[in-house]
Amino acid sequence: MAKVFLKDVQKVYDNGFAAVKGANLDIADKEFMVIVGPSGCGKTTTLRMIAGLEEISAGTITIGDRVVNDVPPKDRDIAMVFQNYALYPHMTVFQNLAFSLKLRKFPKAEIKKRVSEVAEMLDINSQLDKKPKALSGGQRQRVALGRAIVRNPAAFLFDEPLSNLDAKLRVTTRAELKALHRRLSTTSIYVTHDQAEAMTLGDRICVMYNGEIQQVAPPMEVYDKPVNRFVAGFLGTPPMNFLKGKLSTKDGSPAFILNDGDVITLKNSNGQYKNYLEKEMIIGVRPEHLTVEPLAGQAHNGIKAKVNVVEPLGDRKDVYLTSTANQKFIANLDPHTKIDVDHQVTMYIDVNKSHIFEPGETGKNITISAN
Ligand SMILES: Nc1ncnc2c1ncn2[C@@H]1O[C@H](COP(=O)(O)OP(=O)(O)O)[C@@H](O)[C@H]1O
Ligand SMILES: [Mg+2]
């Protein structure tokens, strides 16, 4: 059991590339922290620095009460599970599971006891005499997991452990991992580029982009209150819509005037809009917060648009639209909504759930931050 603490951690590779630019992350004992972000954002580098497989260029990493900057990987009391499983091909499942305990000179009886407990837990006890190549991908993944668990480490580090599994198995294994964490309560740091994995597994999630941590919070808080446009667009499928326009006022209330001319009256603010009036900004609205009927008290908040594509998905209907000024957006509607392709419609925005962002890839969400 251990907390893990990163303070101003940086990684500059030998070629001068800064892969992690000052990461601060405080992971509580027993917490399941997911680090999520697109490929190349520095997730693996961060995890490998925690594991000690990669030297850190600056900052401090603490595991438990110990600064581990100069502690070799084998003495950090952590276990890492990799995407490719990294099993020993010439060893049986039993030998793979027992290997680290044998190295640490555990008595034979203790090794046997621990291995069978873990094999039972992961439902691989009938596979113990097989070699990895005789197992399915899902079973290999369990052995890799089992190898980490037998050691009873202070923390687990996972690097995209499910990404080699097919879609269906990924979803069931994800649920099993969550149940396993509830049972073992071992501090876990889990890296993935998959936002659904992040949302479902994390007690908190840490969104990374471009070598920088963007936001750390419980999944629904990140979803509902993204600190910037990158985070807002990264979580959610279909993603949040971003439409251009400017902040202004209408009849004394703050308003967003879309480049198309449509006017959206915003909630009265705590003054956070005042420095942005008449400036080019972005309004962000999730597909599920658009409707064909105006919401109570929001009858004027419509965007005129043309329907390009309608996708009936059973549980919902995704509708692809183009506004008057050719801004594209997607609405996620009730599956029984009547809406026809090539028709002109008005889509209504729920302003209570929309956000105003500064322009730019990581433009700040000014709706949630009072200034
Ligand atoms: N040994 C290395 N030397 C130079 N650049 C590297 C090295 N390893 C990774 N990088 C770069 O650092 C960035 C982050 O890599 P990585 O941490 O693997 O990202 P992620 O796991 O989020 O996909 C990438 O742009 C990658 O190309
Ligand atoms: Mg990676």
Side-chain angles (χ1 to χ4, degrees):
M1 302 292 133
K3 57 186 174 16
V4 177
F5 184 44
L6 276 64
K7 175 132 182 55
D8 300 326
V9 171
Q10 292 180 34
K11 178 67 191 183
V12 181
Y13 280 111
D14 290 342
N15 63 1
F17 183 77
V20 177
K21 306 167 187 166
N24 287 289
L25 190 58
D26 204 343
I27 301 155
D29 183 26
K30 302 184 175 148
E31 185 169 19
F32 201 118
M33 174 67 79
V34 178
I35 302 177
V36 66
S39 177
C41 72
K43 305 180 295 293
T44 294
T45 304
T46 304
L47 204 66
R48 287 174 57 86
M49 287 192 287
I50 299 171
L53 300 172
E54 202 68 70
E55 227 175 284
I56 68 174
S57 311
T60 323
I61 297 180
T62 310
I63 300 177
D65 298 318
R66 193 164 58 132
V67 172
V68 295
N69 285 21
D70 300 316
V71 176
K74 68 175 175 38
D75 299 328
R76 290 194 183 193
D77 195 19
I78 43 122
M80 190 146 166
V81 180
F82 298 92
Q83 172 179 351
N84 60 9
Y85 318 132
L87 301 177
Y88 300 109
H90 58 285
M91 293 185 191
T92 64
V93 168
F94 181 92
Q95 289 165 333
N96 265 285
L97 292 172
F99 187 71
S100 66
L101 303 178
K102 223 169 148 184
L103 272 188
R104 285 173 178 72
K105 311 237 176 324
F106 274 63
K108 258 199 169 126
E110 174 69 14
I111 294 180
K112 204 153 180 226
K113 178 165 165 280
R114 283 212 198 184
V115 168
S116 52
E117 270 172 18
V118 168
E120 174 91 19
M121 194 186 299
L122 295 169
D123 200 19
I124 46 175
N125 27 17
S126 58
Q127 319 292 331
L128 290 173
D129 297 330
K130 293 186 184 164
K131 298 263 175 73
K133 70 172 187 305
L135 304 178
S136 69
Q139 289 167 333
R140 280 179 215 177
Q141 203 277 342
R142 282 160 194 268
V143 179
L145 207 56
R147 218 171 37 170
I149 297 170
V150 281
R151 290 172 46 190
N152 192 21
F156 293 128
L157 306 183
F158 299 96
D159 194 355
E160 313 236 8
L162 307 185
S163 54
N164 283 351
L165 304 179
D166 67 50
K168 211 167 169 181
L169 197 55
R170 212 154 52 218
V171 172
T172 50
T173 313
R174 185 171 89 192
E176 284 170 13
L177 263 180
K178 193 164 174 157
L180 201 63
H181 178 255
R182 213 173 296 128
R183 174 162 173 189
L184 298 171
S185 291
T186 306
T187 310
S188 300
I189 309 173
Y190 186 105
V191 158
T192 180
H193 66 276
D194 181 324
Q195 48 136 340
E197 264 174 42
M199 293 286 290
T200 51
L201 283 170
D203 291 322
R204 285 188 301 158
I205 66 182
C206 164
V207 183
M208 274 188 92
Y209 179 56
N210 233 344
E212 292 181 76
I213 292 176
Q214 308 289 321
Q215 185 167 11
V216 184
M220 281 314 288
E221 186 178 328
V222 179
Y223 192 82
D224 290 334
K225 296 179 177 170
V227 294
N228 65 35
R229 185 173 160 189
F230 174 79
V231 175
F234 187 73
L235 296 181
T237 29
M240 187 183 281
N241 298 297
F242 298 111
L243 298 164
K244 291 183 184 160
K246 69 175 184 189
L247 263 182
S248 190
T249 48
K250 191 188 173 221
D251 306 331
S253 290
F256 192 82
I257 304 179
L258 288 159
N259 285 356
D260 315 79
D262 293 312
V263 177
I264 309 294
T265 310
L266 301 174
K267 262 192 310 191
N268 256 317
S269 65
N270 303 320
Q272 64 263 56
Y273 297 143
K274 67 177 185 298
N275 294 333
Y276 296 95
L277 290 180
E278 307 311 320
K279 294 204 172 134
E280 301 288 323
M281 301 293 279
I282 309 279
I283 190 165
V285 56
R286 294 201 180 276
E288 65 265 34
H289 299 141
L290 286 162
T291 49
V292 288
E293 302 284 346
L295 292 147
Q298 298 195 42
H300 304 293
N301 291 335
I303 310 174
K304 288 186 276 305
K306 186 176 156 234
V307 178
N308 298 321
V309 177
V310 177
E311 289 183 344
L313 292 160
D315 63 332
R316 62 170 203 266
K317 202 174 246 182
D318 283 352
V319 181
Y320 292 70
L321 303 124
T322 313
S323 71
T324 324
N326 215 16
Q327 305 206 63
K328 295 200 179 329
F329 64 105
I330 303 176
N332 166 344
L333 305 176
D334 181 275
H336 303 292
T337 312
K338 196 160 163 28
I339 191 158
D340 295 316
V341 86
D342 285 338
H343 281 226
Q344 285 292 330
V345 292
T346 302
M347 297 300 306
Y348 293 88
I349 287 190
D350 184 352
V351 286
N352 296 320
K353 300 203 169 129
S354 66
H355 304 272
I356 306 293
F357 299 96
E358 288 180 345
E361 235 182 353
T362 54
K364 187 169 98 173
N365 182 345
I366 65 163
T367 304
I368 61 163
S369 62
N371 64 317

mmCIF file of all heavy atoms in Angstrom, residues 150-172:
data_model
loop_
_atom_site.group_PDB
_atom_site.id
_atom_site.type_symbol
_atom_site.label_atom_id
_atom_site.label_comp_id
_atom_site.label_asym_id
_atom_site.label_seq_id
_atom_site.Cartn_x
_atom_site.Cartn_y
_atom_site.Cartn_z
ATOM 1 N N VAL A 150 0.928 -11.637 -7.535
ATOM 2 C CA VAL A 150 1.606 -12.534 -6.571
ATOM 3 C C VAL A 150 2.637 -11.820 -5.726
ATOM 4 O O VAL A 150 2.907 -12.212 -4.596
ATOM 5 C CB VAL A 150 2.353 -13.742 -7.204
ATOM 6 C CG1 VAL A 150 1.401 -14.844 -7.557
ATOM 7 C CG2 VAL A 150 3.235 -13.342 -8.342
ATOM 8 N N ARG A 151 3.194 -10.776 -6.287
ATOM 9 C CA ARG A 151 4.258 -10.082 -5.550
ATOM 10 C C ARG A 151 3.726 -9.192 -4.442
ATOM 11 O O ARG A 151 4.487 -8.690 -3.628
ATOM 12 C CB ARG A 151 5.086 -9.236 -6.521
ATOM 13 C CG ARG A 151 5.918 -10.093 -7.436
ATOM 14 C CD ARG A 151 6.566 -9.263 -8.498
ATOM 15 N NE ARG A 151 7.173 -8.056 -7.936
ATOM 16 C CZ ARG A 151 7.643 -7.076 -8.673
ATOM 17 N NH1 ARG A 151 7.550 -7.131 -9.981
ATOM 18 N NH2 ARG A 151 8.176 -6.017 -8.107
ATOM 19 N N ASN A 152 2.413 -8.970 -4.454
ATOM 20 C CA ASN A 152 1.787 -8.108 -3.462
ATOM 21 C C ASN A 152 2.532 -6.770 -3.312
ATOM 22 O O ASN A 152 2.957 -6.388 -2.227
ATOM 23 C CB ASN A 152 1.725 -8.853 -2.121
ATOM 24 C CG ASN A 152 0.843 -8.135 -1.131
ATOM 25 O OD1 ASN A 152 -0.012 -7.337 -1.518
ATOM 26 N ND2 ASN A 152 1.060 -8.385 0.151
ATOM 27 N N PRO A 153 2.663 -6.056 -4.425
ATOM 28 C CA PRO A 153 3.474 -4.834 -4.414
ATOM 29 C C PRO A 153 2.718 -3.657 -3.795
ATOM 30 O O PRO A 153 1.507 -3.747 -3.564
ATOM 31 C CB PRO A 153 3.705 -4.566 -5.900
ATOM 32 C CG PRO A 153 2.455 -5.081 -6.542
ATOM 33 C CD PRO A 153 2.021 -6.276 -5.723
ATOM 34 N N ALA A 154 3.439 -2.562 -3.569
ATOM 35 C CA ALA A 154 2.814 -1.358 -3.020
ATOM 36 C C ALA A 154 1.939 -0.674 -4.060
ATOM 37 O O ALA A 154 0.985 0.012 -3.734
ATOM 38 C CB ALA A 154 3.886 -0.395 -2.525
ATOM 39 N N ALA A 155 2.269 -0.866 -5.332
ATOM 40 C CA ALA A 155 1.471 -0.246 -6.398
ATOM 41 C C ALA A 155 1.579 -1.048 -7.688
ATOM 42 O O ALA A 155 2.610 -1.662 -7.963
ATOM 43 C CB ALA A 155 1.946 1.189 -6.634
ATOM 44 N N PHE A 156 0.493 -1.008 -8.447
ATOM 45 C CA PHE A 156 0.498 -1.594 -9.796
ATOM 46 C C PHE A 156 0.616 -0.475 -10.813
ATOM 47 O O PHE A 156 -0.048 0.551 -10.696
ATOM 48 C CB PHE A 156 -0.824 -2.303 -10.108
ATOM 49 C CG PHE A 156 -1.089 -3.525 -9.303
ATOM 50 C CD1 PHE A 156 -2.289 -3.670 -8.629
ATOM 51 C CD2 PHE A 156 -0.153 -4.551 -9.232
ATOM 52 C CE1 PHE A 156 -2.553 -4.815 -7.891
ATOM 53 C CE2 PHE A 156 -0.409 -5.705 -8.504
ATOM 54 C CZ PHE A 156 -1.615 -5.836 -7.826
ATOM 55 N N LEU A 157 1.429 -0.722 -11.841
ATOM 56 C CA LEU A 157 1.494 0.207 -12.962
ATOM 57 C C LEU A 157 1.050 -0.555 -14.209
ATOM 58 O O LEU A 157 1.570 -1.631 -14.498
ATOM 59 C CB LEU A 157 2.930 0.711 -13.167
ATOM 60 C CG LEU A 157 3.638 1.329 -11.962
ATOM 61 C CD1 LEU A 157 5.021 1.834 -12.370
ATOM 62 C CD2 LEU A 157 2.821 2.469 -11.369
ATOM 63 N N PHE A 158 0.066 -0.020 -14.911
ATOM 64 C CA PHE A 158 -0.447 -0.689 -16.106
ATOM 65 C C PHE A 158 -0.208 0.197 -17.324
ATOM 66 O O PHE A 158 -0.602 1.356 -17.319
ATOM 67 C CB PHE A 158 -1.964 -0.877 -16.012
ATOM 68 C CG PHE A 158 -2.432 -1.729 -14.861
ATOM 69 C CD1 PHE A 158 -2.850 -1.143 -13.669
ATOM 70 C CD2 PHE A 158 -2.499 -3.110 -14.985
ATOM 71 C CE1 PHE A 158 -3.333 -1.927 -12.622
ATOM 72 C CE2 PHE A 158 -2.975 -3.892 -13.945
ATOM 73 C CZ PHE A 158 -3.389 -3.303 -12.760
ATOM 74 N N ASP A 159 0.384 -0.366 -18.369
ATOM 75 C CA ASP A 159 0.536 0.402 -19.609
ATOM 76 C C ASP A 159 -0.319 -0.227 -20.706
ATOM 77 O O ASP A 159 0.077 -1.214 -21.317
ATOM 78 C CB ASP A 159 2.003 0.462 -20.043
ATOM 79 C CG ASP A 159 2.228 1.527 -21.115
ATOM 80 O OD1 ASP A 159 1.240 2.141 -21.580
ATOM 81 O OD2 ASP A 159 3.392 1.751 -21.494
ATOM 82 N N GLU A 160 -1.485 0.325 -20.938
ATOM 83 C CA GLU A 160 -2.427 -0.136 -21.959
ATOM 84 C C GLU A 160 -2.570 -1.659 -21.955
ATOM 85 O O GLU A 160 -2.420 -2.299 -23.010
ATOM 86 C CB GLU A 160 -1.961 0.341 -23.352
ATOM 87 C CG GLU A 160 -1.560 1.809 -23.371
ATOM 88 C CD GLU A 160 -2.319 2.642 -24.388
ATOM 89 O OE1 GLU A 160 -3.266 2.134 -24.998
ATOM 90 O OE2 GLU A 160 -1.960 3.823 -24.537
ATOM 91 N N PRO A 161 -2.883 -2.273 -20.814
ATOM 92 C CA PRO A 161 -2.860 -3.730 -20.736
ATOM 93 C C PRO A 161 -3.947 -4.422 -21.554
ATOM 94 O O PRO A 161 -3.848 -5.609 -21.807
ATOM 95 C CB PRO A 161 -3.059 -4.010 -19.239
ATOM 96 C CG PRO A 161 -3.822 -2.842 -18.744
ATOM 97 C CD PRO A 161 -3.310 -1.668 -19.543
ATOM 98 N N LEU A 162 -4.968 -3.682 -21.966
ATOM 99 C CA LEU A 162 -6.071 -4.333 -22.680
ATOM 100 C C LEU A 162 -6.026 -4.115 -24.183
ATOM 101 O O LEU A 162 -6.867 -4.623 -24.917
ATOM 102 C CB LEU A 162 -7.417 -3.820 -22.142
ATOM 103 C CG LEU A 162 -7.624 -3.909 -20.632
ATOM 104 C CD1 LEU A 162 -9.039 -3.472 -20.271
ATOM 105 C CD2 LEU A 162 -7.358 -5.317 -20.131
ATOM 106 N N SER A 163 -5.033 -3.351 -24.660
ATOM 107 C CA SER A 163 -5.134 -2.912 -26.054
ATOM 108 C C SER A 163 -4.871 -4.018 -27.069
ATOM 109 O O SER A 163 -5.182 -3.854 -28.239
ATOM 110 C CB SER A 163 -4.253 -1.695 -26.313
ATOM 111 O OG SER A 163 -2.959 -1.984 -25.920
ATOM 112 N N ASN A 164 -4.334 -5.170 -26.627
ATOM 113 C CA ASN A 164 -4.174 -6.272 -27.584
ATOM 114 C C ASN A 164 -5.362 -7.228 -27.601
ATOM 115 O O ASN A 164 -5.338 -8.228 -28.304
ATOM 116 C CB ASN A 164 -2.897 -7.076 -27.289
ATOM 117 C CG ASN A 164 -1.662 -6.335 -27.772
ATOM 118 O OD1 ASN A 164 -1.765 -5.323 -28.458
ATOM 119 N ND2 ASN A 164 -0.501 -6.827 -27.414
ATOM 120 N N LEU A 165 -6.386 -6.923 -26.817
ATOM 121 C CA LEU A 165 -7.555 -7.801 -26.781
ATOM 122 C C LEU A 165 -8.623 -7.292 -27.758
ATOM 123 O O LEU A 165 -8.679 -6.106 -28.048
ATOM 124 C CB LEU A 165 -8.148 -7.831 -25.367
ATOM 125 C CG LEU A 165 -7.190 -8.234 -24.239
ATOM 126 C CD1 LEU A 165 -7.909 -8.191 -22.898
ATOM 127 C CD2 LEU A 165 -6.615 -9.624 -24.480
ATOM 128 N N ASP A 166 -9.474 -8.206 -28.226
ATOM 129 C CA ASP A 166 -10.542 -7.741 -29.129
ATOM 130 C C ASP A 166 -11.576 -6.942 -28.327
ATOM 131 O O ASP A 166 -11.614 -7.008 -27.096
ATOM 132 C CB ASP A 166 -11.162 -8.897 -29.916
ATOM 133 C CG ASP A 166 -11.927 -9.853 -29.050
ATOM 134 O OD1 ASP A 166 -12.780 -9.405 -28.257
ATOM 135 O OD2 ASP A 166 -11.672 -11.068 -29.142
ATOM 136 N N ALA A 167 -12.398 -6.193 -29.051
ATOM 137 C CA ALA A 167 -13.263 -5.188 -28.417
ATOM 138 C C ALA A 167 -14.134 -5.769 -27.302
ATOM 139 O O ALA A 167 -14.262 -5.184 -26.230
ATOM 140 C CB ALA A 167 -14.135 -4.523 -29.477
ATOM 141 N N LYS A 168 -14.688 -6.934 -27.529
ATOM 142 C CA LYS A 168 -15.614 -7.525 -26.568
ATOM 143 C C LYS A 168 -14.871 -7.931 -25.285
ATOM 144 O O LYS A 168 -15.304 -7.642 -24.170
ATOM 145 C CB LYS A 168 -16.254 -8.757 -27.211
ATOM 146 C CG LYS A 168 -17.644 -9.003 -26.738
ATOM 147 C CD LYS A 168 -18.318 -10.010 -27.636
ATOM 148 C CE LYS A 168 -19.625 -10.469 -27.015
ATOM 149 N NZ LYS A 168 -20.267 -11.470 -27.861
ATOM 150 N N LEU A 169 -13.732 -8.587 -25.482
ATOM 151 C CA LEU A 169 -12.941 -9.056 -24.347
ATOM 152 C C LEU A 169 -12.397 -7.872 -23.545
ATOM 153 O O LEU A 169 -12.244 -7.931 -22.333
ATOM 154 C CB LEU A 169 -11.795 -9.922 -24.883
ATOM 155 C CG LEU A 169 -11.081 -10.823 -23.889
ATOM 156 C CD1 LEU A 169 -12.075 -11.726 -23.177
ATOM 157 C CD2 LEU A 169 -10.041 -11.675 -24.614
ATOM 158 N N ARG A 170 -12.120 -6.796 -24.267
ATOM 159 C CA ARG A 170 -11.600 -5.593 -23.614
ATOM 160 C C ARG A 170 -12.625 -5.068 -22.604
ATOM 161 O O ARG A 170 -12.283 -4.683 -21.504
ATOM 162 C CB ARG A 170 -11.319 -4.538 -24.677
ATOM 163 C CG ARG A 170 -10.185 -3.659 -24.350
ATOM 164 C CD ARG A 170 -9.515 -3.056 -25.552
ATOM 165 N NE ARG A 170 -10.438 -2.401 -26.451
ATOM 166 C CZ ARG A 170 -10.330 -2.436 -27.762
ATOM 167 N NH1 ARG A 170 -9.344 -3.101 -28.335
ATOM 168 N NH2 ARG A 170 -11.189 -1.814 -28.521
ATOM 169 N N VAL A 171 -13.879 -5.109 -23.000
ATOM 170 C CA VAL A 171 -14.933 -4.582 -22.131
ATOM 171 C C VAL A 171 -15.135 -5.481 -20.912
ATOM 172 O O VAL A 171 -15.252 -5.000 -19.787
ATOM 173 C CB VAL A 171 -16.247 -4.385 -22.930
ATOM 174 C CG1 VAL A 171 -17.397 -4.030 -22.010
ATOM 175 C CG2 VAL A 171 -16.045 -3.301 -23.975
ATOM 176 N N THR A 172 -15.128 -6.813 -21.105
ATOM 177 C CA THR A 172 -15.326 -7.697 -19.947
ATOM 178 C C THR A 172 -14.110 -7.670 -19.027
ATOM 179 O O THR A 172 -14.249 -7.629 -17.803
ATOM 180 C CB THR A 172 -15.613 -9.162 -20.369
ATOM 181 O OG1 THR A 172 -14.620 -9.555 -21.311
ATOM 182 C CG2 THR A 172 -16.980 -9.319 -20.979
#
